[in-house]
Amino acid sequence: MRFITSAAHKRLAVLASLLLAALGFVCWYVMIRMPLKSYRGPLLPLTAEEAALRDALRRDVQALAGDIGNRNWWAYARLVEAADWIESSLTQAGYQVRRRGYDLRGRNCDNLEVEIRGRTKPDEIVIIGAHYDSVFGCPAANDNGSGVAALLALARAFADAKPTRTLRFVTFVNEEAPFYHTAQMGSLVYARECRQRGENVVAMLSLETIGYYSEERGSQGYPAGVGLFYPSAGNFVAFVGNTGSRALVRQCIGTFRREAKFPSEGAALPSWMMGIGWSDHWSFWQAGYPAIMVTDTAIFRYPHYHAPSDTPDKLDYDRLARVVAGLERVVHDLME
């Protein structure tokens, strides 16, 4: 019988440490390293355009989460009211709204879609999406009134655009439990329809819970092991994707950091990690499309997540306006 000497033990320990360090570097380089740097420093005063955007965002969140409130399959009348309100808002912006409905336990549920046909690359499709339903018993101002309000603001901004690629704005139904990550999830129904039609979706952005920010140290949480690489204060917007959508994550956060004076972080992590697939972008992964989530990180930061206290007064509309203004540049980059 051979015994391993203490010197051999030390060599093995050193080798193991080097391998772990190399693995950590590769993971950082591939999944966490992002182009440019996150903005640091005081936020600039809102421009006149950003102030008007802030006021519009506040009105839309109030209409959806304050006036309509709890909206889901159980509160079906309010779910329908929310869909009608979204359709009216998009129609007023100059769009022709297409309802892509499906039956769910005897009730019709609608994904709502508007489209600007691309000029020279119409078969390449960019989708900006947000779910409009709420978890049961929740007015859902942040999750996901903030995302819907942002989508409406972006749709208004691009109403007269003549994009190179086809640009779609889609609001999805039934993202929340018990339909979450099931065949009845509205975005999964929609993504599978896109695949069945043979559509080439080159990018999908899910706007998910983007209205809450904090400068307090320790206000930001993370999945296990991830927080080592990111700030402890929840003052940033996050661009999150799976490893297959790494190029899209990097492109979007690169544009945002170049154009917006607002903190941002990004990650392209394995889809099985906690929180990485927690929205409608997950559905597009199932259909084989690149997709990312833009978020304030929801449960990892927001103290009113999925609670009756998720009301319009909890959101930071000044910061939300800054984020949406930055996303306008991201969308412009994607559609060209």
Side-chain angles (χ1 to χ4, degrees), residues 121-142:
K121 299 179 181 178
D123 294 335
E124 296 183 9
I125 301 168
V126 174
I127 294 176
I128 312 302
H131 74 88
Y132 66 91
D133 62 311
S134 75
V135 71
F136 180 76
C138 178
N142 201 23

PDB file of all heavy atoms in Angstrom, residues 121-142:
ATOM      1  N   LYS A 121     -35.279  44.362 -43.371  1.00  0.00           N
ATOM      2  CA  LYS A 121     -35.133  43.031 -42.777  1.00  0.00           C
ATOM      3  C   LYS A 121     -36.414  42.661 -42.031  1.00  0.00           C
ATOM      4  O   LYS A 121     -36.401  42.391 -40.831  1.00  0.00           O
ATOM      5  CB  LYS A 121     -33.943  42.998 -41.820  1.00  0.00           C
ATOM      6  CG  LYS A 121     -32.599  43.292 -42.472  1.00  0.00           C
ATOM      7  CD  LYS A 121     -31.482  43.261 -41.442  1.00  0.00           C
ATOM      8  CE  LYS A 121     -30.131  43.576 -42.075  1.00  0.00           C
ATOM      9  NZ  LYS A 121     -29.042  43.590 -41.054  1.00  0.00           N
ATOM     10  N   PRO A 122     -37.537  42.622 -42.737  1.00  0.00           N
ATOM     11  CA  PRO A 122     -38.819  42.390 -42.056  1.00  0.00           C
ATOM     12  C   PRO A 122     -38.941  41.018 -41.406  1.00  0.00           C
ATOM     13  O   PRO A 122     -39.740  40.827 -40.491  1.00  0.00           O
ATOM     14  CB  PRO A 122     -39.852  42.565 -43.179  1.00  0.00           C
ATOM     15  CG  PRO A 122     -39.090  42.243 -44.425  1.00  0.00           C
ATOM     16  CD  PRO A 122     -37.708  42.754 -44.198  1.00  0.00           C
ATOM     17  N   ASP A 123     -38.145  40.051 -41.884  1.00  0.00           N
ATOM     18  CA  ASP A 123     -38.231  38.699 -41.331  1.00  0.00           C
ATOM     19  C   ASP A 123     -37.439  38.538 -40.037  1.00  0.00           C
ATOM     20  O   ASP A 123     -37.528  37.500 -39.389  1.00  0.00           O
ATOM     21  CB  ASP A 123     -37.744  37.674 -42.356  1.00  0.00           C
ATOM     22  CG  ASP A 123     -38.665  37.610 -43.568  1.00  0.00           C
ATOM     23  OD1 ASP A 123     -39.852  37.955 -43.421  1.00  0.00           O
ATOM     24  OD2 ASP A 123     -38.186  37.240 -44.664  1.00  0.00           O
ATOM     25  N   GLU A 124     -36.637  39.554 -39.663  1.00  0.00           N
ATOM     26  CA  GLU A 124     -35.940  39.545 -38.381  1.00  0.00           C
ATOM     27  C   GLU A 124     -36.779  40.332 -37.379  1.00  0.00           C
ATOM     28  O   GLU A 124     -37.031  41.527 -37.576  1.00  0.00           O
ATOM     29  CB  GLU A 124     -34.544  40.154 -38.517  1.00  0.00           C
ATOM     30  CG  GLU A 124     -33.637  39.338 -39.427  1.00  0.00           C
ATOM     31  CD  GLU A 124     -32.234  39.915 -39.507  1.00  0.00           C
ATOM     32  OE1 GLU A 124     -31.919  40.847 -38.734  1.00  0.00           O
ATOM     33  OE2 GLU A 124     -31.444  39.423 -40.339  1.00  0.00           O
ATOM     34  N   ILE A 125     -37.215  39.689 -36.317  1.00  0.00           N
ATOM     35  CA  ILE A 125     -38.216  40.261 -35.413  1.00  0.00           C
ATOM     36  C   ILE A 125     -37.616  40.517 -34.036  1.00  0.00           C
ATOM     37  O   ILE A 125     -36.983  39.638 -33.446  1.00  0.00           O
ATOM     38  CB  ILE A 125     -39.426  39.313 -35.293  1.00  0.00           C
ATOM     39  CG1 ILE A 125     -40.047  39.070 -36.672  1.00  0.00           C
ATOM     40  CG2 ILE A 125     -40.467  39.878 -34.332  1.00  0.00           C
ATOM     41  CD1 ILE A 125     -41.052  37.936 -36.686  1.00  0.00           C
ATOM     42  N   VAL A 126     -37.829  41.719 -33.531  1.00  0.00           N
ATOM     43  CA  VAL A 126     -37.464  42.103 -32.167  1.00  0.00           C
ATOM     44  C   VAL A 126     -38.756  42.255 -31.372  1.00  0.00           C
ATOM     45  O   VAL A 126     -39.662  42.983 -31.784  1.00  0.00           O
ATOM     46  CB  VAL A 126     -36.671  43.423 -32.149  1.00  0.00           C
ATOM     47  CG1 VAL A 126     -36.421  43.883 -30.720  1.00  0.00           C
ATOM     48  CG2 VAL A 126     -35.363  43.267 -32.916  1.00  0.00           C
ATOM     49  N   ILE A 127     -38.833  41.580 -30.231  1.00  0.00           N
ATOM     50  CA  ILE A 127     -40.044  41.618 -29.400  1.00  0.00           C
ATOM     51  C   ILE A 127     -39.725  42.252 -28.057  1.00  0.00           C
ATOM     52  O   ILE A 127     -38.778  41.850 -27.368  1.00  0.00           O
ATOM     53  CB  ILE A 127     -40.618  40.205 -29.186  1.00  0.00           C
ATOM     54  CG1 ILE A 127     -41.110  39.624 -30.518  1.00  0.00           C
ATOM     55  CG2 ILE A 127     -41.764  40.230 -28.169  1.00  0.00           C
ATOM     56  CD1 ILE A 127     -41.595  38.188 -30.418  1.00  0.00           C
ATOM     57  N   ILE A 128     -40.526  43.255 -27.690  1.00  0.00           N
ATOM     58  CA  ILE A 128     -40.486  43.834 -26.359  1.00  0.00           C
ATOM     59  C   ILE A 128     -41.757  43.383 -25.653  1.00  0.00           C
ATOM     60  O   ILE A 128     -42.861  43.641 -26.142  1.00  0.00           O
ATOM     61  CB  ILE A 128     -40.426  45.381 -26.408  1.00  0.00           C
ATOM     62  CG1 ILE A 128     -39.349  45.849 -27.402  1.00  0.00           C
ATOM     63  CG2 ILE A 128     -40.195  45.938 -25.014  1.00  0.00           C
ATOM     64  CD1 ILE A 128     -37.960  45.352 -27.105  1.00  0.00           C
ATOM     65  N   GLY A 129     -41.622  42.683 -24.530  1.00  0.00           N
ATOM     66  CA  GLY A 129     -42.787  42.085 -23.888  1.00  0.00           C
ATOM     67  C   GLY A 129     -42.873  42.392 -22.405  1.00  0.00           C
ATOM     68  O   GLY A 129     -41.866  42.715 -21.757  1.00  0.00           O
ATOM     69  N   ALA A 130     -44.084  42.288 -21.877  1.00  0.00           N
ATOM     70  CA  ALA A 130     -44.331  42.440 -20.441  1.00  0.00           C
ATOM     71  C   ALA A 130     -45.663  41.781 -20.118  1.00  0.00           C
ATOM     72  O   ALA A 130     -46.612  41.881 -20.909  1.00  0.00           O
ATOM     73  CB  ALA A 130     -44.370  43.917 -20.046  1.00  0.00           C
ATOM     74  N   HIS A 131     -45.747  41.127 -18.985  1.00  0.00           N
ATOM     75  CA  HIS A 131     -47.022  40.494 -18.610  1.00  0.00           C
ATOM     76  C   HIS A 131     -47.882  41.481 -17.838  1.00  0.00           C
ATOM     77  O   HIS A 131     -47.386  42.276 -17.044  1.00  0.00           O
ATOM     78  CB  HIS A 131     -46.790  39.210 -17.816  1.00  0.00           C
ATOM     79  CG  HIS A 131     -46.341  39.383 -16.402  1.00  0.00           C
ATOM     80  ND1 HIS A 131     -47.223  39.523 -15.354  1.00  0.00           N
ATOM     81  CD2 HIS A 131     -45.099  39.423 -15.856  1.00  0.00           C
ATOM     82  CE1 HIS A 131     -46.550  39.636 -14.218  1.00  0.00           C
ATOM     83  NE2 HIS A 131     -45.254  39.595 -14.493  1.00  0.00           N
ATOM     84  N   TYR A 132     -49.202  41.416 -18.088  1.00  0.00           N
ATOM     85  CA  TYR A 132     -50.117  42.369 -17.461  1.00  0.00           C
ATOM     86  C   TYR A 132     -50.982  41.768 -16.361  1.00  0.00           C
ATOM     87  O   TYR A 132     -51.721  42.488 -15.684  1.00  0.00           O
ATOM     88  CB  TYR A 132     -50.988  43.053 -18.514  1.00  0.00           C
ATOM     89  CG  TYR A 132     -51.977  42.153 -19.246  1.00  0.00           C
ATOM     90  CD1 TYR A 132     -53.273  41.973 -18.773  1.00  0.00           C
ATOM     91  CD2 TYR A 132     -51.630  41.535 -20.443  1.00  0.00           C
ATOM     92  CE1 TYR A 132     -54.191  41.185 -19.464  1.00  0.00           C
ATOM     93  CE2 TYR A 132     -52.530  40.750 -21.137  1.00  0.00           C
ATOM     94  CZ  TYR A 132     -53.815  40.578 -20.650  1.00  0.00           C
ATOM     95  OH  TYR A 132     -54.722  39.807 -21.329  1.00  0.00           O
ATOM     96  N   ASP A 133     -50.917  40.469 -16.162  1.00  0.00           N
ATOM     97  CA  ASP A 133     -51.689  39.861 -15.084  1.00  0.00           C
ATOM     98  C   ASP A 133     -50.970  40.045 -13.756  1.00  0.00           C
ATOM     99  O   ASP A 133     -49.795  40.426 -13.706  1.00  0.00           O
ATOM    100  CB  ASP A 133     -51.911  38.373 -15.351  1.00  0.00           C
ATOM    101  CG  ASP A 133     -50.589  37.600 -15.402  1.00  0.00           C
ATOM    102  OD1 ASP A 133     -49.666  38.048 -16.117  1.00  0.00           O
ATOM    103  OD2 ASP A 133     -50.467  36.552 -14.725  1.00  0.00           O
ATOM    104  N   SER A 134     -51.679  39.777 -12.678  1.00  0.00           N
ATOM    105  CA  SER A 134     -51.102  39.885 -11.335  1.00  0.00           C
ATOM    106  C   SER A 134     -51.209  38.548 -10.620  1.00  0.00           C
ATOM    107  O   SER A 134     -52.058  37.717 -10.948  1.00  0.00           O
ATOM    108  CB  SER A 134     -51.829  40.953 -10.521  1.00  0.00           C
ATOM    109  OG  SER A 134     -53.104  40.476 -10.102  1.00  0.00           O
ATOM    110  N   VAL A 135     -50.363  38.363  -9.618  1.00  0.00           N
ATOM    111  CA  VAL A 135     -50.554  37.237  -8.727  1.00  0.00           C
ATOM    112  C   VAL A 135     -51.842  37.470  -7.936  1.00  0.00           C
ATOM    113  O   VAL A 135     -52.256  38.619  -7.729  1.00  0.00           O
ATOM    114  CB  VAL A 135     -49.332  37.077  -7.793  1.00  0.00           C
ATOM    115  CG1 VAL A 135     -49.270  38.182  -6.761  1.00  0.00           C
ATOM    116  CG2 VAL A 135     -49.316  35.714  -7.137  1.00  0.00           C
ATOM    117  N   PHE A 136     -52.479  36.414  -7.496  1.00  0.00           N
ATOM    118  CA  PHE A 136     -53.784  36.516  -6.831  1.00  0.00           C
ATOM    119  C   PHE A 136     -53.709  37.430  -5.601  1.00  0.00           C
ATOM    120  O   PHE A 136     -52.806  37.295  -4.769  1.00  0.00           O
ATOM    121  CB  PHE A 136     -54.272  35.129  -6.407  1.00  0.00           C
ATOM    122  CG  PHE A 136     -55.602  35.149  -5.708  1.00  0.00           C
ATOM    123  CD1 PHE A 136     -56.767  35.315  -6.416  1.00  0.00           C
ATOM    124  CD2 PHE A 136     -55.676  35.026  -4.321  1.00  0.00           C
ATOM    125  CE1 PHE A 136     -57.998  35.340  -5.782  1.00  0.00           C
ATOM    126  CE2 PHE A 136     -56.896  35.059  -3.676  1.00  0.00           C
ATOM    127  CZ  PHE A 136     -58.059  35.212  -4.408  1.00  0.00           C
ATOM    128  N   GLY A 137     -54.643  38.362  -5.512  1.00  0.00           N
ATOM    129  CA  GLY A 137     -54.759  39.227  -4.344  1.00  0.00           C
ATOM    130  C   GLY A 137     -53.799  40.392  -4.295  1.00  0.00           C
ATOM    131  O   GLY A 137     -53.704  41.070  -3.274  1.00  0.00           O
ATOM    132  N   CYS A 138     -53.104  40.659  -5.397  1.00  0.00           N
ATOM    133  CA  CYS A 138     -52.065  41.692  -5.415  1.00  0.00           C
ATOM    134  C   CYS A 138     -52.391  42.738  -6.479  1.00  0.00           C
ATOM    135  O   CYS A 138     -52.682  42.383  -7.624  1.00  0.00           O
ATOM    136  CB  CYS A 138     -50.711  41.056  -5.703  1.00  0.00           C
ATOM    137  SG  CYS A 138     -49.334  42.204  -5.812  1.00  0.00           S
ATOM    138  N   PRO A 139     -52.313  44.028  -6.144  1.00  0.00           N
ATOM    139  CA  PRO A 139     -52.541  45.063  -7.164  1.00  0.00           C
ATOM    140  C   PRO A 139     -51.423  45.138  -8.187  1.00  0.00           C
ATOM    141  O   PRO A 139     -51.608  45.647  -9.287  1.00  0.00           O
ATOM    142  CB  PRO A 139     -52.655  46.354  -6.349  1.00  0.00           C
ATOM    143  CG  PRO A 139     -51.938  46.073  -5.070  1.00  0.00           C
ATOM    144  CD  PRO A 139     -52.146  44.612  -4.791  1.00  0.00           C
ATOM    145  N   ALA A 140     -50.240  44.671  -7.808  1.00  0.00           N
ATOM    146  CA  ALA A 140     -49.141  44.453  -8.758  1.00  0.00           C
ATOM    147  C   ALA A 140     -48.686  45.722  -9.469  1.00  0.00           C
ATOM    148  O   ALA A 140     -48.573  45.762 -10.691  1.00  0.00           O
ATOM    149  CB  ALA A 140     -49.528  43.376  -9.775  1.00  0.00           C
ATOM    150  N   ALA A 141     -48.377  46.747  -8.687  1.00  0.00           N
ATOM    151  CA  ALA A 141     -47.857  47.978  -9.271  1.00  0.00           C
ATOM    152  C   ALA A 141     -46.480  47.763  -9.879  1.00  0.00           C
ATOM    153  O   ALA A 141     -46.201  48.202 -11.001  1.00  0.00           O
ATOM    154  CB  ALA A 141     -47.804  49.076  -8.210  1.00  0.00           C
ATOM    155  N   ASN A 142     -45.605  47.079  -9.139  1.00  0.00           N
ATOM    156  CA  ASN A 142     -44.265  46.821  -9.660  1.00  0.00           C
ATOM    157  C   ASN A 142     -44.238  45.547 -10.485  1.00  0.00           C
ATOM    158  O   ASN A 142     -43.612  45.513 -11.545  1.00  0.00           O
ATOM    159  CB  ASN A 142     -43.259  46.734  -8.510  1.00  0.00           C
ATOM    160  CG  ASN A 142     -41.831  46.978  -8.974  1.00  0.00           C
ATOM    161  OD1 ASN A 142     -41.602  47.606  -9.990  1.00  0.00           O
ATOM    162  ND2 ASN A 142     -40.871  46.479  -8.206  1.00  0.00           N
TER     163      ASN A 142
END
